[in-house]
């Protein structure tokens, strides 16, 4: 698909086609200061966080809310669930590392758990 007119994500035809760049070291460190519950994996240039809930019902409810956020943002987590535990990894495949989209999604996920 040609993307020559796709200079804004506000244009529905262009959803997901806007440029996304990997954060440089300085911007990444600054962003991670605001996400104290997330760990940075240098090898993958990804961030991760483990969430533990009372039971599977709580964990899956959380995953449902994250899925809706992710789909709206067209930015999706790598994750796994074992009963009451949800492990989330965020990185931007299109950029080959951490981008502002990961930071935005991490902040939105943090806001869900309060
Ligand atoms: C076409 C679509 O917009 C892209 O493949 C999106 C979908 N969700 C994504 N999610 C993540 N984590 N990284 C991406 O690069 C990405 N790209």
């Amino acid at each position: 698909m040609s993307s020559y007119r796709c200079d804004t994500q506000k244009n529905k035809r262009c959803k997901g086609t806007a440029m996304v760049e990997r954060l440089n070291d300085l911007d990444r460190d600054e962003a991670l200061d605001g996400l104290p519950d997330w760990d940075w994996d240098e090898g993958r240039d990804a961030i991760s966080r483990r969430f533990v809930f009372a039971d599977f019902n709580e964990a899956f409810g959380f995953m449902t809310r994250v899925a809706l956020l992710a789909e709206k943002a067209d930015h999706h987590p790598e994750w796994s669930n074992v009963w009451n535990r949800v492990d989330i990894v965020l990185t931007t495949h299109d950029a080959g590392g951490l981008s502002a989209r990961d930071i935005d999604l991490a902040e939105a996920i943090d806001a869900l758990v309060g």
Side-chain angles (χ1 to χ4, degrees):
M1 181 186 101
S2 164
S3 61
Y4 69 104
R5 283 189 193 135
C6 296
D7 53 3
T8 167
Q9 285 196 296
K10 283 184 193 134
N11 179 342
K12 274 196 191 130
R13 279 168 21 101
C14 300
K15 199 177 175 211
T17 58
M19 266 282 279
V20 55
E21 282 178 20
R22 222 178 132 175
L23 294 175
N24 64 37
D25 290 357
L26 197 70
D27 290 342
R28 181 197 62 237
D29 288 348
E30 195 178 291
L32 292 182
D33 280 347
L35 295 169
D37 296 315
W38 293 78
D39 296 318
W40 179 55
D41 175 342
E42 182 173 6
R44 286 210 55 198
D45 196 15
I47 54 173
S48 62
R49 182 175 172 186
R50 169 165 289 180
F51 297 85
V52 180
F53 298 91
D55 54 26
F56 176 75
N57 201 42
E58 294 287 321
F60 199 73
F62 166 74
M63 291 179 79
T64 305
R65 289 189 286 280
V66 172
L68 293 173
L69 282 179
E71 190 57 10
K72 197 169 173 187
D74 191 32
H75 195 65
H76 303 85
E78 298 175 21
W79 55 4
S80 66
N81 159 240
V82 179
W83 186 51
N84 67 337
R85 201 173 74 214
V86 181
D87 288 305
I88 297 186
V89 176
L90 300 177
T91 191
T92 301
H93 311 123
D94 297 341
L98 201 67
S99 77
R101 291 188 189 174
D102 301 301
I103 304 303
D104 290 349
L105 186 56
E107 287 174 355
I109 291 172
D110 279 357
L112 287 178
V113 293

